[in-house]
Coordinates of all heavy atoms in Angstrom, one line a residue:
Y1 N -13.3 14.3 6.9 CA -12.3 13.3 6.7 C -11.0 14.0 6.7 O -10.5 14.6 5.7 CB -12.4 12.5 5.5 CG -13.7 11.6 5.3 CD1 -14.5 11.6 4.3 CD2 -14.1 10.9 6.5 CE1 -15.8 10.8 4.3 CE2 -15.2 10.1 6.5 CZ -16.0 10.2 5.3 OH -17.2 9.4 5.4
G2 N -10.3 13.9 7.9 CA -8.9 14.5 8.0 C -8.6 14.5 9.4 O -9.2 13.9 10.3
S3 N -7.4 15.2 9.8 CA -6.9 15.2 11.1 C -6.0 16.4 11.3 O -5.6 17.1 10.3 CB -6.2 13.9 11.4 OG -5.0 13.7 10.7
L4 N -5.7 16.7 12.5 CA -4.8 17.8 12.8 C -3.3 17.3 12.9 O -3.0 16.4 13.5 CB -5.2 18.5 14.2 CG -4.9 19.9 14.4 CD1 -5.6 20.8 13.4 CD2 -5.1 20.3 15.8
S5 N -2.5 18.0 12.0 CA -1.1 17.7 12.0 C -0.3 18.9 12.2 O -0.4 19.8 11.4 CB -0.7 17.0 10.8 OG 0.7 16.7 10.6
S6 N 0.6 18.9 13.4 CA 1.4 20.1 13.7 C 0.6 21.4 13.6 O 1.0 22.4 13.2 CB 2.5 20.3 12.6 OG 3.3 19.1 12.6
G7 N -0.6 21.4 14.3 CA -1.4 22.5 14.3 C -2.2 22.9 13.1 O -3.0 23.9 13.1
H8 N -2.1 22.1 12.0 CA -2.8 22.4 10.9 C -3.7 21.2 10.4 O -3.4 20.1 10.5 CB -1.8 22.7 9.7 CG -0.9 23.9 10.0 ND1 -1.3 25.2 9.8 CD2 0.4 23.9 10.4 CE1 -0.3 26.0 10.0 NE2 0.7 25.4 10.4
W9 N -4.9 21.5 9.8 CA -5.8 20.5 9.5 C -5.3 20.0 8.1 O -5.0 20.7 7.2 CB -7.2 21.1 9.2 CG -8.2 20.1 8.8 CD1 -8.6 19.8 7.6 CD2 -8.8 19.2 9.5 NE1 -9.4 18.7 7.4 CE2 -9.7 18.4 8.7 CE3 -8.9 19.0 11.0 CZ2 -10.5 17.3 9.2 CZ3 -9.7 17.9 11.4 CH2 -10.5 17.1 10.5
V10 N -5.3 18.6 8.0 CA -4.9 18.0 6.8 C -6.0 17.1 6.3 O -6.4 16.1 7.0 CB -3.6 17.1 7.0 CG1 -3.3 16.3 5.8 CG2 -2.5 18.1 7.5
D11 N -6.6 17.3 5.2 CA -7.6 16.4 4.7 C -7.0 15.1 4.3 O -5.8 14.9 4.0 CB -8.2 17.0 3.4 CG -9.1 18.2 3.7 OD1 -9.8 18.2 4.6 OD2 -9.1 19.1 2.8
W12 N -7.9 13.9 4.5 CA -7.4 12.7 4.2 C -7.1 12.5 2.6 O -7.7 13.2 1.8 CB -8.5 11.7 4.4 CG -8.1 10.3 4.2 CD1 -7.5 9.5 5.2 CD2 -8.2 9.5 3.0 NE1 -7.2 8.2 4.6 CE2 -7.7 8.2 3.2 CE3 -8.7 9.7 1.8 CZ2 -7.6 7.2 2.3 CZ3 -8.6 8.8 0.8 CH2 -8.0 7.4 1.2
R13 N -6.0 11.8 2.4 CA -5.4 11.7 1.1 C -5.3 10.3 0.6 O -4.9 9.4 1.4 CB -4.1 12.5 1.0 CG -4.2 14.0 1.4 CD -2.9 14.5 1.5 NE -3.0 16.0 2.0 CZ -1.9 16.8 2.2 NH1 -0.7 16.3 2.1 NH2 -2.1 17.9 2.8
S14 N -5.4 10.0 -0.6 CA -5.2 8.6 -1.2 C -3.8 8.2 -1.1 O -3.6 7.0 -1.1 CB -5.7 8.6 -2.6 OG -5.0 9.4 -3.4
N15 N -2.8 9.0 -1.0 CA -1.4 8.7 -0.9 C -1.1 8.1 0.6 O 0.0 7.7 0.9 CB -0.5 9.8 -1.2 CG -0.4 10.9 -0.4 OD1 -1.2 11.0 0.6 ND2 0.2 12.0 -0.8
F16 N -2.2 8.1 1.5 CA -2.0 7.5 2.8 C -2.0 5.9 2.6 O -1.6 5.2 3.5 CB -3.1 7.9 3.7 CG -3.0 9.3 4.2 CD1 -4.1 9.9 4.8 CD2 -1.9 10.1 4.0 CE1 -4.0 11.3 5.3 CE2 -1.8 11.4 4.4 CZ -2.8 12.0 5.1
I17 N -2.5 5.4 1.5 CA -2.6 4.0 1.2 C -1.3 3.5 0.9 O -0.5 4.1 0.1 CB -3.7 3.7 0.1 CG1 -5.0 4.2 0.6 CG2 -3.7 2.2 -0.1 CD1 -6.0 4.1 -0.5
N18 N -0.9 2.3 1.4 CA 0.3 1.5 1.0 C -0.2 0.7 -0.1 O -0.9 -0.2 0.0 CB 0.8 0.8 2.2 CG 2.2 0.2 1.8 OD1 2.4 -0.3 0.7 ND2 3.2 0.4 2.8
Y19 N 0.4 1.0 -1.3 CA 0.1 0.2 -2.5 C 0.9 -1.0 -2.8 O 1.0 -1.5 -4.0 CB 0.0 1.2 -3.7 CG -1.0 2.2 -3.6 CD1 -0.8 3.5 -3.4 CD2 -2.4 1.8 -3.9 CE1 -1.9 4.4 -3.3 CE2 -3.5 2.8 -3.9 CZ -3.2 4.2 -3.6 OH -4.1 5.0 -3.5
T20 N 1.6 -1.5 -1.8 CA 2.4 -2.8 -1.9 C 1.5 -3.9 -2.5 O 0.4 -4.2 -2.2 CB 2.9 -3.2 -0.5 OG1 3.7 -2.3 0.0 CG2 3.7 -4.4 -0.7
S21 N 2.1 -4.6 -3.5 CA 1.4 -5.7 -4.2 C 1.9 -7.0 -3.9 O 1.3 -8.0 -4.3 CB 1.4 -5.4 -5.7 OG 2.8 -5.5 -6.2
E22 N 3.1 -7.1 -3.2 CA 3.6 -8.4 -2.9 C 2.9 -8.9 -1.7 O 2.8 -8.4 -0.6 CB 5.2 -8.3 -2.6 CG 6.0 -9.6 -2.8 CD 5.8 -10.5 -1.6 OE1 6.0 -10.1 -0.5 OE2 5.5 -11.6 -1.8
L23 N 2.3 -10.3 -1.7 CA 1.5 -10.8 -0.8 C 2.0 -10.8 0.6 O 1.4 -10.3 1.6 CB 1.0 -12.1 -1.2 CG 0.1 -12.9 -0.2 CD1 -1.1 -12.1 0.0 CD2 -0.2 -14.3 -0.7
C24 N 3.2 -11.4 0.8 CA 3.7 -11.5 2.2 C 4.1 -10.2 2.8 O 3.9 -10.0 4.0 CB 4.9 -12.5 2.2 SG 4.3 -14.2 1.7
V25 N 4.7 -9.3 2.0 CA 4.9 -8.0 2.5 C 3.6 -7.2 2.9 O 3.6 -6.6 4.0 CB 5.7 -7.1 1.4 CG1 5.9 -5.6 1.8 CG2 7.0 -7.8 1.2
L26 N 2.6 -7.3 2.1 CA 1.3 -6.8 2.3 C 0.8 -7.3 3.7 O 0.2 -6.6 4.5 CB 0.4 -7.1 1.2 CG -1.0 -6.9 1.1 CD1 -1.5 -6.7 -0.4 CD2 -1.8 -8.0 1.7
L27 N 0.8 -8.6 3.9 CA 0.3 -9.2 5.1 C 1.1 -8.7 6.3 O 0.5 -8.5 7.4 CB 0.3 -10.8 5.0 CG -0.7 -11.3 4.0 CD1 -0.5 -12.8 3.9 CD2 -2.1 -11.1 4.5
D28 N 2.3 -8.6 6.2 CA 3.1 -8.0 7.3 C 2.7 -6.7 7.7 O 2.6 -6.3 8.8 CB 4.7 -8.1 6.9 CG 5.3 -9.4 7.0 OD1 4.8 -10.3 7.9 OD2 6.3 -9.7 6.4
I29 N 2.5 -5.8 6.7 CA 2.1 -4.4 7.0 C 0.7 -4.4 7.7 O 0.5 -3.7 8.6 CB 2.0 -3.6 5.6 CG1 3.4 -3.4 5.1 CG2 1.3 -2.3 5.9 CD1 3.5 -2.8 3.7
N30 N -0.3 -5.3 7.1 CA -1.6 -5.4 7.7 C -1.5 -5.8 9.2 O -2.2 -5.4 10.0 CB -2.5 -6.3 6.9 CG -2.8 -5.8 5.5 OD1 -2.4 -4.6 5.2 ND2 -3.5 -6.6 4.7
I31 N -0.6 -6.8 9.4 CA -0.5 -7.4 10.9 C 0.0 -6.2 11.8 O -0.6 -6.0 12.8 CB 0.4 -8.5 10.8 CG1 -0.3 -9.8 10.1 CG2 0.9 -8.8 12.2 CD1 0.8 -10.9 9.9
A32 N 1.0 -5.5 11.3 CA 1.6 -4.4 12.1 C 0.5 -3.3 12.4 O 0.4 -2.8 13.5 CB 2.8 -3.8 11.5

């Protein structure tokens, strides 16, 4: 679980998650 970024391996991290809690903003992010 990870990917290559600028030539370096980066393990997947929980801060990749968008923790937005407002429903309509959350749906806009999911749609995009």
Side-chain angles (χ1 to χ4, degrees):
Y1 297 134
S3 61
L4 204 64
S5 176
S6 301
H8 299 281
W9 180 264
V10 177
D11 286 324
W12 185 87
R13 303 170 184 177
S14 61
N15 63 7
F16 291 165
I17 298 173
N18 189 312
Y19 291 105
T20 299
S21 59
E22 202 280 309
L23 175 62
C24 295
V25 174
L26 173 155
L27 289 173
D28 278 335
I29 294 171
N30 293 354
I31 288 168

